Amino acid sequence: MIGWVARPGRWVVWSVIAFFFVNLAGVVLSVVVDSFGTQWFGTWLPDGFTTHWYADAWREFGLSDVLLTTAVVALVVIAVSGAVGVPAAYALARRSFPGKRLVMLLFVLPILIPPITYGIPLATVLYKFHLAGTITGVILANLVPSVPFVVLTMTPFIEQIDPKIEAAARMSGARTVSVFTRILGPLLLPGILAASILVLVRTVGMFELTFLTAGPDSTTLVVALYNSVFAAGIRANQSVDAMATIYTGSMLVLLLVALRFVNPTQLVTRIREET
């Protein structure tokens, strides 16, 4: 108690934090409550509650197709990022070569700089080759920040594995494929899972790159939410709030799963060390 009295700065810090979270909870809860309300004007709670706004949003915005597109884009990005990022992370973890720090810095840049800075030139290139507006273009755009995520996540996991294990397996006659599938594969499985979850969260929540390259048949959930708010026409606020609640709920589930398997300080520490 004496420490709290002696350090009034603690009260200021905790008051600011509490104020932030109270406002955040108020904003989120107001959207959720409105998505279930019939009418809400000048009262603490809506006049009544209903669930038909979710059915209206599902039908009006074609959420079945949007969710399918989002799942396809996310799964393909995870698969390609893993296929490219894991071997690259292995090479960076096991080999020393001139310019290694520069290569690591290049992998860090798509994560540190805002996506819009390289998203516009990237979209211009994709439009030039008639790939923008398709699922392929959305996948290619999302691979730009996803591959570095895999590399930066997998490199510490690979560095923690003693190279003598691989050497012993090779001395015992194991081929390169067997070393990767039977020796390194089980040891790297937690890292691969962590990287996949990070890429999943990143891809589902990536707005800038997807918005710049998506078309009518390649719209993901976050872009569909943006279009529902700013598109022309008159629609009930409750249906938009219902769609926002669906998106927020899906992202919350993904974040909780990610935090279950991933330590956020690990990636930040690695970035600081390499830069």
Side-chain angles (χ1 to χ4, degrees), residues 217-247:
D217 298 326
S218 56
T219 300
T220 60
L221 184 58
V222 63
V223 177
L225 176 59
Y226 175 85
N227 292 335
S228 67
V229 175
F230 294 99
I234 300 175
R235 54 177 52 88
N237 292 332
Q238 292 90 333
S239 62
V240 177
D241 289 339
M243 189 173 180
T245 302
I246 294 174
Y247 174 74

Coordinates of all heavy atoms in Angstrom, one line a residue, residues 217-247:
D217 N -15.7 -12.0 -57.1 CA -15.7 -13.4 -56.8 C -14.5 -13.8 -55.9 O -14.3 -15.0 -55.7 CB -15.6 -14.3 -58.1 CG -16.9 -14.0 -58.9 OD1 -17.9 -13.8 -58.3 OD2 -16.7 -14.1 -60.2
S218 N -13.7 -12.9 -55.4 CA -12.5 -13.2 -54.6 C -12.5 -12.3 -53.4 O -11.4 -11.9 -52.9 CB -11.3 -13.0 -55.4 OG -11.2 -11.7 -56.0
T219 N -13.6 -12.0 -52.8 CA -13.7 -11.1 -51.7 C -13.7 -11.9 -50.4 O -14.4 -12.9 -50.2 CB -15.0 -10.3 -51.7 OG1 -15.1 -9.5 -52.9 CG2 -15.2 -9.4 -50.5
T220 N -12.8 -11.5 -49.5 CA -12.7 -12.2 -48.2 C -13.6 -11.5 -47.2 O -14.2 -10.4 -47.5 CB -11.3 -12.2 -47.7 OG1 -10.8 -10.9 -47.5 CG2 -10.4 -13.0 -48.7
L221 N -13.7 -12.0 -46.0 CA -14.6 -11.5 -45.0 C -14.4 -10.1 -44.6 O -15.3 -9.3 -44.5 CB -14.6 -12.4 -43.7 CG -15.6 -12.1 -42.6 CD1 -17.0 -12.2 -43.2 CD2 -15.4 -13.1 -41.5
V222 N -13.1 -9.7 -44.4 CA -12.8 -8.4 -44.0 C -13.1 -7.3 -45.1 O -13.6 -6.2 -44.8 CB -11.3 -8.3 -43.5 CG1 -10.4 -8.5 -44.7 CG2 -11.0 -6.9 -42.9
V223 N -12.9 -7.7 -46.3 CA -13.3 -6.8 -47.4 C -14.8 -6.7 -47.6 O -15.3 -5.6 -47.9 CB -12.6 -7.2 -48.7 CG1 -13.0 -6.3 -49.9 CG2 -11.1 -7.2 -48.6
A224 N -15.5 -7.8 -47.4 CA -16.9 -7.8 -47.5 C -17.5 -6.9 -46.4 O -18.5 -6.3 -46.6 CB -17.5 -9.2 -47.4
L225 N -16.9 -7.0 -45.2 CA -17.4 -6.1 -44.1 C -17.2 -4.6 -44.5 O -18.1 -3.8 -44.3 CB -16.7 -6.4 -42.9 CG -17.0 -5.5 -41.6 CD1 -18.4 -5.6 -41.3 CD2 -16.1 -5.9 -40.5
Y226 N -16.1 -4.3 -45.1 CA -15.9 -2.9 -45.5 C -16.9 -2.5 -46.6 O -17.4 -1.4 -46.6 CB -14.4 -2.8 -46.1 CG -14.1 -1.4 -46.7 CD1 -13.7 -0.3 -45.9 CD2 -14.2 -1.2 -48.0 CE1 -13.5 0.9 -46.4 CE2 -14.0 0.0 -48.6 CZ -13.6 1.1 -47.8 OH -13.3 2.3 -48.3
N227 N -17.1 -3.4 -47.6 CA -18.1 -3.1 -48.6 C -19.5 -2.9 -48.1 O -20.3 -2.1 -48.6 CB -18.0 -4.2 -49.7 CG -16.7 -4.2 -50.4 OD1 -16.0 -3.2 -50.5 ND2 -16.4 -5.3 -51.0
S228 N -19.8 -3.7 -47.1 CA -21.2 -3.6 -46.5 C -21.4 -2.3 -45.8 O -22.5 -1.8 -45.8 CB -21.4 -4.7 -45.5 OG -20.6 -4.6 -44.4
V229 N -20.3 -1.7 -45.3 CA -20.5 -0.4 -44.6 C -20.5 0.8 -45.6 O -21.3 1.7 -45.4 CB -19.3 -0.2 -43.6 CG1 -19.4 1.2 -42.9 CG2 -19.4 -1.3 -42.5
F230 N -19.7 0.7 -46.6 CA -19.5 1.9 -47.5 C -20.2 1.7 -48.9 O -20.1 2.6 -49.7 CB -18.1 2.2 -47.7 CG -17.4 2.7 -46.4 CD1 -16.7 1.8 -45.7 CD2 -17.5 4.0 -46.0 CE1 -16.0 2.2 -44.5 CE2 -16.9 4.4 -44.8 CZ -16.2 3.5 -44.1
A231 N -20.8 0.6 -49.2 CA -21.4 0.4 -50.5 C -22.7 1.3 -50.6 O -23.3 1.6 -49.6 CB -21.7 -1.1 -50.7
A232 N -23.0 1.6 -51.8 CA -24.2 2.4 -52.0 C -25.5 1.6 -51.7 O -25.5 0.4 -51.8 CB -24.3 2.8 -53.5
G233 N -26.5 2.3 -51.3 CA -27.8 1.6 -50.9 C -28.1 1.9 -49.5 O -27.3 2.3 -48.7
I234 N -29.3 1.5 -49.1 CA -29.8 1.7 -47.8 C -30.0 0.3 -47.2 O -30.7 -0.6 -47.7 CB -31.2 2.4 -47.7 CG1 -31.0 3.8 -48.4 CG2 -31.7 2.5 -46.3 CD1 -32.3 4.6 -48.5
R235 N -29.4 0.1 -46.0 CA -29.5 -1.2 -45.3 C -29.6 -0.9 -43.8 O -29.1 0.1 -43.4 CB -28.3 -2.1 -45.7 CG -27.0 -1.5 -45.5 CD -25.9 -2.5 -45.7 NE -26.0 -3.1 -47.0 CZ -25.5 -2.6 -48.1 NH1 -24.9 -1.5 -48.1 NH2 -25.6 -3.3 -49.3
A236 N -30.1 -1.8 -43.1 CA -30.3 -1.6 -41.7 C -28.9 -1.7 -41.0 O -28.1 -2.6 -41.3 CB -31.2 -2.7 -41.1
N237 N -28.7 -0.9 -40.0 CA -27.5 -0.9 -39.3 C -27.3 -2.2 -38.5 O -26.1 -2.7 -38.4 CB -27.4 0.3 -38.2 CG -27.4 1.6 -38.9 OD1 -26.8 1.8 -40.0 ND2 -27.9 2.6 -38.2
Q238 N -28.4 -2.8 -38.1 CA -28.3 -4.1 -37.4 C -27.7 -5.2 -38.2 O -26.9 -6.0 -37.7 CB -29.7 -4.5 -36.9 CG -30.2 -3.6 -35.8 CD -31.1 -2.5 -36.4 OE1 -30.9 -2.1 -37.5 NE2 -32.0 -2.0 -35.6
S239 N -28.0 -5.2 -39.5 CA -27.4 -6.2 -40.4 C -25.9 -6.1 -40.5 O -25.1 -7.0 -40.6 CB -28.1 -6.3 -41.7 OG -27.9 -5.0 -42.4
V240 N -25.5 -4.8 -40.7 CA -24.0 -4.5 -40.7 C -23.4 -4.9 -39.4 O -22.3 -5.5 -39.4 CB -23.8 -3.0 -41.1 CG1 -22.3 -2.7 -41.1 CG2 -24.4 -2.7 -42.4
D241 N -24.0 -4.5 -38.3 CA -23.4 -4.9 -37.0 C -23.4 -6.4 -36.8 O -22.5 -6.9 -36.2 CB -24.3 -4.3 -35.9 CG -24.1 -2.8 -35.8 OD1 -23.0 -2.3 -36.3 OD2 -24.9 -2.1 -35.2
A242 N -24.4 -7.1 -37.4 CA -24.3 -8.6 -37.3 C -23.1 -9.1 -38.1 O -22.5 -10.1 -37.6 CB -25.6 -9.2 -37.9
M243 N -22.9 -8.6 -39.2 CA -21.7 -9.0 -40.0 C -20.4 -8.7 -39.3 O -19.5 -9.5 -39.2 CB -21.7 -8.4 -41.4 CG -20.7 -8.9 -42.3 SD -20.8 -8.3 -44.0 CE -19.5 -9.1 -44.8
A244 N -20.4 -7.5 -38.6 CA -19.2 -7.1 -37.9 C -19.0 -8.0 -36.7 O -17.9 -8.4 -36.3 CB -19.3 -5.7 -37.4
T245 N -20.1 -8.5 -36.1 CA -20.0 -9.4 -34.9 C -19.4 -10.7 -35.4 O -18.6 -11.4 -34.7 CB -21.4 -9.6 -34.3 OG1 -21.8 -8.3 -33.8 CG2 -21.3 -10.5 -33.1
I246 N -19.9 -11.2 -36.6 CA -19.4 -12.5 -37.1 C -17.9 -12.4 -37.3 O -17.1 -13.3 -37.0 CB -20.1 -12.8 -38.4 CG1 -21.6 -13.1 -38.1 CG2 -19.4 -14.0 -39.1 CD1 -22.4 -13.4 -39.3
Y247 N -17.4 -11.2 -37.9 CA -16.0 -11.1 -38.2 C -15.2 -11.0 -36.9 O -14.2 -11.6 -36.7 CB -15.8 -9.8 -39.0 CG -14.3 -9.5 -39.2 CD1 -13.5 -10.2 -40.1 CD2 -13.8 -8.4 -38.5 CE1 -12.2 -9.9 -40.3 CE2 -12.4 -8.1 -38.7 CZ -11.7 -8.8 -39.5 OH -10.3 -8.5 -39.7

